[in-house]
Amino acid sequence: MLHSFGWNFQAEDVFGDFLRTDLAEKSPYPLDRYEVLLEIARFSDGERDEAFVDYLRALFPTHPPDLIVTMISPAARFIQRHRQDLFPSTPVIFGALDARAIGDGALTANDTMVAVSIDQRAFIENILRTLPGTTTVAVVAGDAPIERFWVKELHRVIQPFENRINFIFLNELSFGDMLTRVAALPPRSAIYFGDLIVDAQGIPHRQEEVLSRLHAVANAPIFSQYDYQLGGGIVGGPLLSIHALSRKTAEVAARILAGASPGDIKTPPQKLGEPEFDWRELRRWGIQQADLPSDSTISFREPTLWEQYRWYILAAAAFSALQAILIVGLLLNRLRLRRAHDQLRTSEEGMSLAAIAAKLRFWVWDVPRDEVRASESDWSSGNWRSARPVHFDQFIDVVHPDDRASLHQAVRGALEGDGQYETEYRVMSPDSTVRWIAARGRVEFDQHGKPRQLRAISIDITERRRGEDEARDLNGRLITAHEDERARLAHALHDDVTQRLALLAIDAGRKEKGLGDPVAGRAMRSIRHDLVQLSEDVHALSYALHPAILEDLGLIEALKAECARFGAVEGIPTSFRVIKDVDEPTSPLSLCLYRVAQEALRNVARHSRASSVEVELRAVRGGLELAVRDNGVGFDPTRKQGRPSLGLAGMRQRLSLVDGELFINSAPGCGTRIVARAAVKRGGAP
């Protein structure tokens, strides 16, 4: 890294600081970095090159560097003058210099440039736009060769403005005289601060110290060109971002170190950024924010008294308002409490009457204390009154002995699970009357997740259960009558119609042989064939109405035959197997499972579009399980259908008569599995 100046030129110093950090971030491996302060910018080109050339040769006697980065144009021109003597094959990045300092034609294939576009006209226009009434602009600049170049450039740039602006150039003065002049500028003046590296007496100066001392004595606002100077005394405007320039340079360096050719890397010159101003300087010089460009950014804004203490002010006001509201609220609340108390008393009386009429009962179980408090509602004989707290076991003494275990299980599930309590059970009154109760409730837990209390409501559902039992009994009788009628029709078709059709077919066969006319013989043969087909159809209908094989050979053989018949008729391969030892169930259970299998297979033929079906019968603990599974299109069992499925409803009704259940497992594209499960009580009775 070749510096054009020493440590006194702040722009180069800031750029170098940023570049060191950016290079370390962009490089995937550690860098061995050398920095050389050429100090040649204070002198004319070539005036003191020889000593620096010897120094660089001594610094790299055997191994040249992998990359050279120059800063500012004097260092770039130094490398160009001595490229053949110093590292002719090493890639060079000419960085942090004006795009005009080195033309593209002067670059070799081993060179690239990361330049800036220094638009001095834009700086002058920024002064006149920010301070439209400006009549005098004092230009603070140094007397080094590079500074003389930029003063000369500025003389050319300001020619269009000289008819209305008086420009005062201070580059031929010592820095002390400059301070004197900027402290006594006429009204409506502005200061343009370029670079001051060496004053007219040849004395070097650090840039940050120059700006600080200018700001301390100047009687006019100061404008400059670098973004790092914002906050140090300049008003602001479109500024050159040194950090953005260093990031670009580091990115180009990383590409070259990774193997890219410098001549292939073209980086557009960096232009001035969006306008940015120092709020403190705007306030000091009375510059209105409305006079600034609309896209300007305002930095260093000092909060107002309201912005600093608004939360304290708002809190105090809110506290005072809250006190007033609380006082009014307490008065209103007292009035509302009186009204609410009267309404609550009326509501409680109404709820008590409604609970009695609806046969409702409310109770609360304090779990840690094991105390139950219940309402005074009475269902028949006073057994459910709880004038004082009782233990939970005492509270459920009236529950039917056969239902106490299930009630305890429901309560335990609520206490140990999600807190939802729902069950049905029977209670015994002193006159041995049995009544059905439905109960629902919720467990309240403490902050540690332990049950605190169970609140529940109970209702007498005896009449509903009685109606359900009657409906179930009626449904069973209807199904039984339906099966009896099907059996009667099946026997009539099998024992009468099919026999008569068989005799007619035999007679037709005899007539066929006795006819001498070939035409009449063919007609009789057709009649005989139709009679045989009709007989088979009637026999199949008889079997469908009531399979005699179920009574003769049992459920297993009947299911095996039905699977074979279904596969032959529908053309769908259907397998049947029995898992474990299955005892022959009673007739009602056999008929129920057979009809479920029939209906399930019909559904497969109608809806599934399956290519195979599996039917399984297995013994499960305490009962039998029939499963029908296909590989068809499946469906969503949770989705509401357009019309209810009578087949599924019929299967559920049949299973309910034998204390069984129906389960459906299906999903779109995954086939369907229907499982019928029924319990077998002791003695084989379903």
Side-chain angles (χ1 to χ4, degrees):
M1 295 169 59
L2 299 183
H3 295 254
S4 294
F5 299 91
W7 298 118
N8 60 323
F9 185 37
Q10 190 180 10
E12 187 180 54
D13 195 11
V14 171
F15 177 79
D17 288 340
F18 283 138
L19 186 58
R20 294 181 200 102
T21 303
D22 293 336
L23 282 172
E25 291 178 355
K26 300 293 183 182
S27 175
Y29 42 79
L31 297 177
D32 186 12
R33 188 183 69 250
Y34 291 82
E35 296 194 42
V36 178
L37 310 181
L38 297 179
E39 294 279 5
I40 59 178
R42 295 169 57 182
F43 311 101
S44 299
D45 284 349
E47 184 177 345
R48 301 191 181 185
D49 286 4
E50 185 177 350
F52 288 112
V53 170
D54 292 340
Y55 171 67
L56 289 172
R57 285 174 177 166
L59 192 61
F60 301 99
T62 57
H63 299 291
D66 296 301
L67 177 66
I68 297 172
V69 180
T70 69
M71 303 182 196
I72 318 298
S73 56
R77 289 194 295 271
F78 168 82
I79 284 294
Q80 285 189 311
R81 289 194 299 271
H82 302 284
R83 184 61 178 275
Q84 296 305 316
D85 300 329
L86 293 172
F87 326 122
S89 61
T90 300
V92 177
I93 299 175
F94 298 118
L97 74 169
D98 185 75
R100 295 166 293 182
I102 299 178
D104 289 339
L107 299 178
T108 69
N110 218 21
D111 302 335
T112 190
M113 182 166 55
V114 182
V116 298
S117 178
I118 299 179
D119 188 355
Q120 292 179 309
R121 182 185 181 90
F123 297 138
I124 301 302
E125 290 175 343
N126 173 57
I127 295 174
L128 300 180
R129 181 173 54 248
T130 306
L131 298 171
T134 302
T135 58
T136 301
V137 174
V139 179
V140 176
D143 198 40
I146 189 173
E147 293 173 312
R148 289 195 293 270
F149 167 80
W150 285 114
V151 169
K152 181 179 179 181
E153 282 293 305
L154 186 58
H155 274 289
R156 182 181 59 81
V157 167
I158 65 174
Q159 289 179 2
F161 304 97
E162 289 180 336
N163 59 342
R164 59 192 179 100
I165 303 295
N166 178 32
F167 288 91
I168 302 174
F169 286 84
L170 307 180
N171 57 298
E172 296 180 354
L173 301 178
S174 67
F175 182 54
D177 291 339
M178 292 183 191
L179 294 177
T180 302
R181 292 291 300 274
V182 299
L185 291 172
R188 298 196 294 177
S189 295
I191 300 171
Y192 172 56
F193 173 51
D195 295 323
L196 202 166
I197 305 165
V198 179
D199 65 12
Q201 292 182 336
I203 300 174
H205 297 276
R206 289 188 62 82
Q207 300 297 289
E208 60 268 32
E209 295 178 359
V210 170
L211 180 58
S212 176
R213 294 179 64 182
L214 282 173
H215 183 262
V217 302
N219 67 343
I222 303 174
F223 295 82
S224 190
Q225 53 197 10
Y226 301 116
D227 62 344
Y228 66 83
Q229 294 172 322
L230 193 70
I234 68 171
V235 174
L239 302 173
L240 187 64
S241 174
I242 299 299
H243 195 188
L245 185 63
S246 76
R247 283 198 300 268
K248 287 183 180 180
T249 307
E251 291 170 358
V252 172
R255 291 176 60 186
I256 293 174
L257 292 174
S261 173
D264 295 336
I265 302 175
K266 305 297 182 183
T267 307
Q270 179 174 315
K271 298 183 180 299
L272 300 178
E274 298 296 331
E276 187 175 1
F277 293 89
D278 187 332
W279 180 85
R280 297 166 299 184
E281 297 300 315
L282 296 177
R283 187 177 181 185
R284 176 185 178 185
W285 303 109
I287 302 173
Q288 300 300 316
Q289 189 171 341
D291 296 333
L292 304 179
S294 58
D295 57 347
S296 299
T297 300
I298 308 300
S299 302
F300 308 106
R301 185 188 299 273
E302 296 177 358
T304 63
L305 184 64
W306 164 253
E307 291 173 336
Q308 284 182 302
Y309 301 103
R310 61 178 175 178
W311 295 115
Y312 297 100
I313 297 171
L314 290 174
F319 182 73
S320 301
L322 181 61
Q323 282 186 318
I325 292 172
L326 286 175
I327 294 172
V328 175
L330 287 173
L331 295 175
L332 293 176
N333 191 50
R334 183 179 180 185
L335 180 60
R336 282 196 295 267
L337 282 175
R338 287 183 179 178
R339 293 176 180 174
H341 185 269
D342 295 338
Q343 292 175 353
L344 180 61
R345 184 171 61 249
T346 304
S347 177
E348 287 179 344
E349 292 174 355
M351 285 189 62
S352 179
L353 292 174
I356 293 173
K359 298 183 179 180
L360 293 175
R361 185 167 189 259
F362 307 95
W363 53 277
V364 179
W365 178 26
D366 187 329
V367 179
R369 297 182 180 180
D370 191 19
E371 292 181 353
V372 179
R373 294 182 180 272
S375 63
E376 294 293 331
S377 298
D378 188 354
W379 281 327
S380 60
S381 59
N383 276 317
W384 285 79
R385 291 185 183 274
S386 181
R388 57 182 177 79
V390 297
H391 295 304
F392 185 75
D393 289 338
Q394 296 173 310
F395 180 67
I396 64 171
D397 278 344
V398 294
V399 176
H400 194 285
D402 292 344
D403 295 342
R404 288 178 187 171
S406 62
L407 177 59
H408 276 290
Q409 184 177 358
V411 172
R412 188 182 309 110
L415 296 177
E416 298 175 356
D418 60 358
Q420 300 299 320
Y421 162 71
E422 183 173 1
T423 186
E424 293 183 2
Y425 50 85
R426 292 165 292 177
V427 296
M428 301 289 297
S429 62
D431 60 358
S432 300
T433 302
V434 177
R435 305 195 69 81
W436 276 96
I437 306 301
R440 297 188 66 179
R442 185 178 63 187
V443 178
E444 296 178 2
F445 298 91
D446 60 17
Q447 59 182 355
H448 302 294
K450 295 183 178 180
R452 189 168 59 87
Q453 62 182 11
L454 169 61
R455 296 180 178 271
I457 182 172
S458 303
I459 185 172
D460 188 340
I461 59 169
T462 304
E463 299 302 325
R464 191 198 77 187
R465 289 297 294 254
R466 188 174 297 153
E468 291 175 353
D469 291 341
E470 291 176 355
R472 179 182 176 186
D473 181 62
L474 176 60
N475 185 51
R477 282 186 284 154
L478 287 173
I479 292 177
T480 302
H482 180 64
E483 289 292 343
D484 291 343
E485 184 63 19
R486 289 166 67 106
R488 187 186 68 77
L489 288 174
H491 285 303
L493 291 173
H494 183 273
D495 297 339
D496 184 18
V497 178
T498 56
Q499 300 298 328
R500 292 162 64 186
L501 289 173
L503 289 174
L504 286 174
I506 293 172
D507 290 342
R510 291 173 180 172
K511 293 293 183 181
E512 176 188 349
K513 293 179 180 179
L515 293 174
D517 186 356
V519 176
R522 284 195 300 272
M524 187 58 69
R525 188 181 307 115
S526 176
I527 292 173
R528 179 176 61 81
H529 179 270
D530 290 343
L531 287 171
V532 171
Q533 185 64 45
L534 181 59
S535 177
E536 291 177 355
D537 292 343
V538 172
H539 183 270
L541 178 61
S542 171
Y543 181 84
L545 287 171
H546 187 76
I549 191 174
L550 187 64
E551 297 177 353
D552 298 338
L553 300 179
L555 175 63
I556 295 175
E557 293 301 324
L559 289 175
K560 186 184 301 182
E562 179 63 21
C563 290
R565 185 200 66 80
F566 176 81
V569 172
E570 301 296 340
I572 303 175
T574 305
S575 65
F576 172 73
R577 63 174 179 166
V578 179
I579 301 176
K580 297 184 180 180
D581 295 331
V582 176
D583 296 331
E584 187 65 31
T586 58
S587 295
L589 181 54
S590 295
L591 182 59
C592 173
L593 294 178
Y594 180 80
R595 291 302 188 198
V596 169
Q598 271 190 321
E599 183 61 35
L601 290 173
R602 273 196 292 270
N603 287 340
V604 171
R606 292 173 184 169
H607 310 294
S608 73
R609 288 181 280 178
S611 61
S612 67
V613 185
E614 297 177 0
V615 181
E616 296 179 353
L617 181 68
R618 71 174 70 200
V620 295
R621 185 174 181 180
L624 289 178
E625 180 180 279
L626 173 71
V628 180
R629 177 169 53 198
D630 65 68
N631 64 348
V633 296
F635 67 100
D636 184 359
T638 62
R639 183 179 179 184
K640 187 175 181 181
Q641 303 296 321
R643 57 181 181 177
S645 174
L646 297 179
L648 294 177
M651 286 190 277
R652 287 193 173 93
Q653 288 179 352
R654 286 183 179 274
L655 285 167
S656 68
L657 297 178
V658 293
D659 295 330
E661 293 180 283
L662 185 71
F663 304 94
I664 301 174
N665 184 11
S666 182
C670 299
T672 302
R673 186 172 186 264
I674 293 180
V675 178
R677 190 176 299 148
V680 177
K681 298 183 180 179
R682 293 181 180 177

